Amino acid sequence: MKIYLDIILFENLCMNYIILFATGIVMKRNIKHTRIIIASLIGSVYAIIIYLNITKIASNIIMKIILSIIMVWLSFAEPKCKMLLKDVLMFYLISFVFGGCSFALIYFISPENVKINNGVLVRIISNKSNVTCRSGSFYNNTNSF
């Protein structure tokens, strides 16, 4: 199985940026794009660490919550705890809405080459001699599953 780190980094960087930007707009925060990019980059590096399974503590739910608080704090630099908590809750709400919309779109469109295998979306691309399975950013070049 091959893992393309550049694809993982780029996809997560884009999605983190969009979610943080949407959080800033909804919460009417002063948006500084460089701060959002830095926070998105930290989230993307964390995603790579989780994919590579470097440390067991990285996949802990407490670490994920701490990382989201750090990302939101870096993006908007809110010194008040109450406002930071509201920003983090809005960040989670927007994340869940984006995720729900993505799954709903996939179920409504239901493309023929996308299957759900054990709760993971898999895109099947057929070649002359082999089949490539794409699951997020994981690739498997074999003839069997």
Side-chain angles (χ1 to χ4, degrees):
M1 181 181 305
K2 296 179 184 176
I3 299 173
Y4 292 92
L5 296 179
D6 57 339
I7 294 174
I8 294 172
L9 183 79
F10 183 71
E11 286 178 348
N12 281 289
L13 183 70
C14 290
M15 285 310 301
N16 288 334
Y17 181 85
I18 290 169
I19 292 169
L20 286 168
F21 186 76
T23 302
I25 288 177
V26 169
M27 297 302 290
K28 298 178 182 168
R29 297 282 176 250
N30 185 13
I31 296 173
K32 294 186 180 177
H33 298 285
T34 53
R35 294 180 69 92
I36 294 177
I37 290 172
I38 291 169
S40 300
L41 188 62
I42 290 171
S44 299
V45 170
Y46 182 77
I48 290 173
I49 290 170
I50 288 180
Y51 279 126
L52 295 179
N53 201 13
I54 295 172
T55 62
K56 296 285 184 190
I57 196 165
S59 61
N60 189 351
I61 189 73
I62 302 297
M63 284 300 294
K64 292 178 182 182
I65 292 171
I66 290 170
L67 180 77
S68 62
I69 292 170
I70 291 170
M71 286 173 60
V72 171
W73 180 76
L74 282 174
S75 296
F76 308 118
E78 183 60 50
K80 299 177 183 173
C81 280
K82 186 175 180 179
M83 292 306 291
L84 180 63
L85 180 63
K86 287 181 183 180
D87 290 343
V88 170
L89 291 176
M90 186 56 66
F91 174 77
Y92 278 120
L93 180 66
I94 291 172
S95 297
F96 295 151
V97 167
F98 271 101
C101 289
S102 299
F103 276 112
L105 186 63
I106 288 171
Y107 280 119
F108 285 130
I109 293 175
S110 65
E112 295 176 12
N113 61 346
V114 174
K115 306 289 182 208
I116 296 178
N117 189 7
N118 293 330
V120 176
L121 294 173
V122 178
R123 188 176 106 197
I124 301 170
I125 303 169
S126 184
N127 294 338
K128 291 179 183 176
S129 63
N130 65 0
V131 175
T132 301
C133 301
R134 182 169 187 219
S135 165
S137 297
F138 291 97
Y139 294 91
N140 185 5
N141 291 325
T142 61
N143 288 329
S144 63
F145 291 95

